Amino acid sequence: MAPDHGGRLPTAIVVPGGEALAVSTLGWQAVYRLLAEEPRMAVERVFPDKTGHGPDGGEPVSREASHPLSSFPVLAFSVTYEEDYLLLARTLEASGVPPLAAERPDFPLVLAGGPPAFLNPAPIAPFVDLFWVGEANEDHLQLLLDLREHIFAGGSKSDFLEAVKDRPGVYVPGRSKTPVRRVVSALGSKLPDPAWSCFVSPTATFKDTLLLEVNRGCPYGCRFCAAGYIYRPPRHADIDVMKDVVERTNPLKVGLVGTALTDWPDLLPFLKWLKERKTKFSLSSMRADGITEELLVFLRQCGIRTITLALEGASERLRNMASKKLDPDDFLKAVRLCARYGVNHLKSYIIVGWPGETDEDYEELSSFMQRIIDIRSEEPGGRKKSFMRITLGASCLVPKPWTPFQWAPMATEEQLDRRLKQLRKLVKPYKGLTLTHDSPFQARLQGLLARGDERIADFIMLAAKHGGWKKALKRWDGDPSEYLDRVRADDEPFPWECVDIGVRRAFMLREWHQAQKAVVTPGCPGIDCGDCKRCGMQDFTS
């Protein structure tokens, strides 16, 4: 029986993985704010742990009133990463709610949103009654208000799903006319509704920090990065909106989040404003060509000790394959500035496992790292007693849906292990240079979940019932190589084409062919570029 909320619709926002992880994620908090401010909605937060259970090992319960998850008529799951699919199934099981939608003819209605909903909802479609395909906006709120009216009038779940199946942004597996067009909250160069933390917590990954979304989308169009495609066109927050949020919340610290921080034209003025009001801040990864001397000097004056720069490809050829649009001299210039002004810790990231990569690409990286070490030695700030530490982080390429690499095969676990071994050997001679890297197994798992179809749901169920992913792989009768280890034909249909993100398949295919030739092409500066026909976004901007 649903909690009594005096005529309001009881809705559980479920964020798998525990509270510390949840309060470090912005997407669901934007949804929470939208729904919680509506007097006809009664929204409560549920944070299942990694087993899908509550804090005492029993059924997950809400933070607000300890209501059991199974008592809510609406379970709204925020799904951020592919690995969350396991937690979705486990949470439903732990709540006594049948995981498969086919076994839930009546309420609760299981709704899912987040990046996977418009990247590729197919692997979890058998678990979900309704996907919200897009960003949180008034249409999302209206959907739930209509559901409230339907429930209070005694309507069935099936009738509601049938009634809304063809609304913009709604994907009801097995009912909706596909492809379902994603919903964009606003178009233009401005982002009027940047996400920000509802909850600032000492247990969060970013402790006691108000997270603020600076921009959404990215103008560079790197071919490996889904954010540059699923969030087109790129939009920037308004500085006055950001100031208003900070004034209202008065946090001790602000964390700026964005896919292209240094492209925000108001970055330095906003940071100077934060300093004037004595508010600490932190920044996510920045592009090397956005690091100016003025910006870096200011950051050091504010006590910023760590700078993160993305290199991505081991060689210029691989960066061109990715259409990274990064001049290596700009990267080295940024390194020199970091060393000159006493940055304590320089972090850089590369991706391994590119299609057709060779040992020669990594020999070029070795020479490039030597130049970085030389620059550190040449600059006074780099030679001081506690000289600039350097961390090289390596991640494995997962060819994601809705990127030009969706046609590409993924490197095998053995190939990835070999490349990481080569990197360990490369960094070993250098003092103060450390390598970190992710797990090839986990990367391949992510690839399987990201590129799969509805048959992957069986694999997810096996993982939920039999102790995790590795045990499930031994029991599953599917073939991971079918999803991972082959070049897709140019005309092969993809399971994720049940959604329409706005970028034409023909544009993606041209980009894939250009990638194979390592040809750099223009990115997406926004709808003001006047060339939205090139990628297909004119359908969203007209």
Side-chain angles (χ1 to χ4, degrees):
M1 185 175 181
D4 182 6
H5 287 291
R8 297 179 295 160
L9 177 63
T11 302
I13 291 188
V14 189
V15 191
E19 183 177 4
L21 180 62
V23 295
S24 305
T25 307
L26 277 181
W28 73 270
Q29 297 188 59
V31 175
Y32 178 88
R33 181 178 296 106
L34 177 72
L35 302 184
E37 292 175 353
E38 167 54 55
R40 289 167 287 181
M41 299 292 298
V43 183
E44 300 187 33
R45 300 164 294 152
V46 180
F47 303 129
D49 65 17
K50 293 183 179 181
T51 69
H53 292 84
D56 61 353
E59 177 176 355
V61 296
S62 69
R63 286 300 307 272
E64 282 72 13
S66 296
H67 288 132
L69 182 59
S70 59
S71 68
F72 289 85
V74 182
L75 312 183
F77 279 82
S78 175
V79 184
T80 304
Y81 307 105
E82 288 85 0
E83 288 84 347
D84 291 345
Y85 298 168
L86 174 58
L87 302 182
L88 187 157
R90 282 178 169 173
T91 299
L92 291 173
E93 286 268 25
S95 303
V97 176
L100 295 175
E103 298 174 354
R104 297 191 307 267
D106 206 346
F107 293 101
L109 184 148
V110 175
L111 183 152
F118 39 108
L119 258 178
N120 181 14
I124 53 173
F127 304 116
V128 176
D129 296 306
L130 184 154
F131 288 90
W132 178 251
V133 183
E135 301 169 8
N137 68 354
E138 293 300 319
D139 292 333
H140 188 203
L141 173 59
Q142 189 59 52
L143 175 71
L144 287 167
L145 291 177
D146 291 344
L147 176 58
R148 171 187 174 274
E149 295 297 323
H150 184 85
I151 289 175
F152 288 175
S156 71
K157 181 169 75 172
S158 180
D159 286 348
F160 179 77
L161 295 175
E162 188 63 28
V164 302
K165 63 182 173 63
D166 292 319
R167 282 194 189 185
V170 171
Y171 174 44
V172 179
R175 299 192 190 221
S176 294
K177 181 181 178 181
T178 57
V180 172
R181 178 171 167 171
R182 74 177 169 109
V183 169
V184 181
S185 61
L187 289 166
S189 58
K190 292 292 185 181
L191 179 64
D193 56 348
W196 49 278
S197 304
C198 296
F199 308 100
V200 176
S201 169
T203 65
T205 304
F206 307 99
K207 184 178 179 181
D208 295 322
T209 300
L210 173 77
L211 300 179
L212 278 175
E213 183 184 27
V214 167
N215 43 34
R216 189 177 301 167
C218 180
Y220 296 97
C222 296
R223 294 178 178 127
F224 62 88
C225 179
Y229 297 93
I230 63 174
Y231 292 120
R232 287 195 178 202
R235 291 152 286 164
H236 294 291
D238 185 278
I239 188 171
D240 291 330
V241 173
M242 303 287 270
K243 287 181 178 180
D244 180 64
V245 172
V246 173
E247 292 284 13
R248 282 189 284 133
T249 56
N250 196 30
L252 294 173
K253 186 176 182 180
V254 168
L256 299 188
V257 179
T259 45
L261 273 189
T262 52
D263 280 73
W264 186 36
D266 294 318
L267 177 62
L268 191 52
F270 184 66
L271 295 179
K272 289 181 176 179
W273 177 80
L274 289 175
K275 183 184 179 185
E276 288 172 4
R277 72 186 309 276
K278 298 181 180 178
T279 302
K280 295 180 181 180
F281 61 84
S282 63
L283 306 174
S284 58
S285 175
M286 295 182 286
R287 280 184 63 92
D289 51 14
I291 300 290
T292 64
E293 188 161 11
E294 180 186 15
L295 175 60
L296 191 59
V297 168
F298 175 77
L299 293 178
R300 291 295 296 129
Q301 289 173 346
C302 294
I304 298 296
R305 298 188 296 269
T306 300
I307 297 293
T308 303
L309 306 175
L311 183 60
E312 313 295 11
S315 68
E316 189 164 6
R317 182 185 75 87
L318 293 180
R319 291 189 290 275
N320 289 343
M321 175 186 284
S323 202
K324 174 66 180 174
K325 305 173 186 65
L326 175 65
D327 186 331
D329 288 338
D330 287 336
F331 192 94
L332 295 174
K333 178 183 176 182
V335 172
R336 187 174 295 279
L337 288 172
C338 289
R340 179 176 301 165
Y341 292 103
V343 168
N344 299 72
H345 190 187
L346 174 65
K347 293 182 178 180
S348 185
Y349 292 94
I350 66 166
I351 297 173
V352 302
W354 299 96
E357 68 180 14
T358 66
D359 289 344
E360 287 72 23
D361 292 310
Y362 289 85
E363 290 168 7
E364 182 176 323
L365 176 65
S366 180
S367 300
F368 196 74
M369 294 307 298
Q370 181 64 62
R371 293 176 70 184
I372 291 173
I373 297 299
D374 291 343
I375 289 171
R376 182 180 67 179
S377 302
E378 293 163 5
E379 293 295 331
R383 292 199 305 266
K384 64 183 182 179
K385 186 175 180 180
S386 55
F387 62 56
M388 183 173 70
R389 294 184 297 114
I390 301 173
T391 298
L392 180 65
S395 60
C396 303
L397 178 68
V398 178
K400 287 290 183 82
W402 296 117
T403 71
F405 283 105
Q406 64 187 353
W407 280 275
M410 186 172 179
T412 66
E413 195 168 342
E414 292 74 22
Q415 289 170 330
L416 294 170
D417 280 330
R418 176 180 176 275
R419 197 60 73 194
L420 293 174
K421 181 179 179 180
Q422 184 179 4
L423 283 177
R424 286 192 290 270
K425 183 178 179 181
L426 183 154
V427 304
K428 190 174 182 179
Y430 300 116
K431 183 180 179 182
L433 175 56
T434 304
L435 175 70
T436 64
H437 59 81
D438 59 8
S439 158
F441 171 82
Q442 289 298 128
R444 293 269 298 177
L445 170 65
Q446 184 185 131
L448 176 62
L449 297 172
R451 295 159 64 91
D453 51 27
E454 293 195 8
R455 292 175 292 173
I456 296 295
D458 292 337
F459 171 56
I460 297 170
M461 282 297 296
L462 286 170
K465 291 179 178 295
H466 298 288
W469 298 117
K470 289 188 177 181
K471 292 181 179 179
L473 276 175
K474 295 177 181 178
R475 293 172 176 265
W476 187 45
D477 59 5
D479 182 7
S481 65
E482 178 185 348
Y483 300 95
L484 297 176
D485 299 333
R486 61 187 179 86
V487 178
R488 306 294 180 99
D490 285 0
D491 59 352
E492 179 176 339
F494 297 119
W496 46 90
E497 288 175 319
C498 57
V499 299
D500 174 12
I501 66 163
V503 181
R504 286 202 189 105
R505 179 188 175 101
F507 171 79
M508 293 280 197
L509 184 59
R510 286 196 299 271
E511 286 293 298
W512 166 233
H513 291 160
Q514 295 289 63
Q516 292 170 292
K517 295 182 285 188
V519 173
V520 177
T521 55
C524 175
I527 66 171
D528 298 330
C529 76
D531 194 22
C532 285
K533 291 182 180 179
R534 185 172 63 91
C535 68
M537 282 303 299
Q538 86 280 359
D539 294 336
F540 281 72
T541 59
S542 58

